[in-house]
Amino acid sequence: NPHAKLISIMSLLLGTTITISSNHWMMAWTGLEINTLAILPLISKPHHPRAIEAAVKYFLVQAAASALVLFSSMSNAWVTGQWDITQLSHPMSCLLLTVAIAMKLGLVPFHFWYPEVLQGSSLTTALLLSTVMKFPPITILFLTSHSLNPTLLTSLAIASTAL
């Protein structure tokens, strides 16, 4: 159905725009969730068992990562009293956010789900997963980079590049 596909694409763009333009943790999390829910019909569209399996794997990993983002932001707000993305200062919140973003991006050691989801997806959906779906987590990573552990980020980057 072309209308359903159009709604999914528009929701994908809306979620990406909300996350990229957000300064509040709840809005960024909402945009990430909209993105996750918008891409699921596109992954499972072929109605093949492999596509359904890929959609379920994607949903479970993204839901776990989103829960970590939400927990990280809530624990930071508990300590600092602020929901601003740029005010991330609590060390445990920084570590949890780094793990959550690594899961969302499919970085090593949280990458095992990513090739299987790509194999179960169509070429167009795999292209969307590999490009557009990476913009919101990378934006959050960029906005909080001053607070995150540079050694851990460098280690994740080198390990992902080496693999």
Side-chain angles (χ1 to χ4, degrees):
N1 187 355
H3 294 296
K5 191 172 185 178
L6 178 66
I7 290 172
S8 291
I9 298 292
M10 294 303 289
S11 297
L12 191 64
L13 293 174
L14 174 71
T16 301
T17 304
I18 287 173
T19 304
I20 287 174
S21 63
S22 176
N23 282 332
H24 193 276
W25 278 112
M26 290 305 288
M27 288 304 294
W29 177 77
T30 302
L32 291 171
E33 289 301 307
I34 290 171
N35 265 357
T36 299
L37 294 176
I39 199 74
L40 287 175
L42 297 176
I43 296 173
S44 62
K45 185 181 181 297
H47 300 296
H48 188 270
R50 190 149 173 100
I52 302 300
E53 179 186 351
V56 169
K57 284 181 182 178
Y58 183 80
F59 175 74
L60 290 175
V61 170
Q62 295 299 312
S66 289
L68 280 176
V69 167
L70 193 59
F71 184 68
S72 170
S73 63
M74 286 175 57
S75 62
N76 187 64
W78 182 275
V79 173
T80 63
Q82 297 187 14
W83 284 91
D84 189 12
I85 288 179
T86 59
Q87 300 300 321
L88 187 68
S89 60
H90 191 258
M92 183 56 84
S93 298
C94 294
L95 180 63
L96 286 173
L97 183 71
T98 304
V99 169
I101 296 299
M103 285 175 69
K104 284 200 162 290
L105 291 173
L107 298 179
V108 173
F110 307 104
H111 70 286
F112 294 109
W113 63 274
Y114 194 62
E116 295 176 15
V117 169
L118 291 180
Q119 286 176 352
S121 304
S122 67
L123 187 61
T124 306
T125 305
L127 180 66
L128 283 173
L129 286 170
S130 298
T131 56
V132 175
M133 296 302 289
K134 303 297 181 200
F135 291 146
I138 288 174
T139 301
I140 292 174
L141 188 67
F142 178 70
L143 288 172
T144 58
S145 63
H146 65 280
S147 314
L148 301 179
N149 184 350
T151 306
L152 179 59
L153 292 176
T154 305
S155 300
L156 290 171
I158 290 172
S160 296
T161 304
L163 182 67

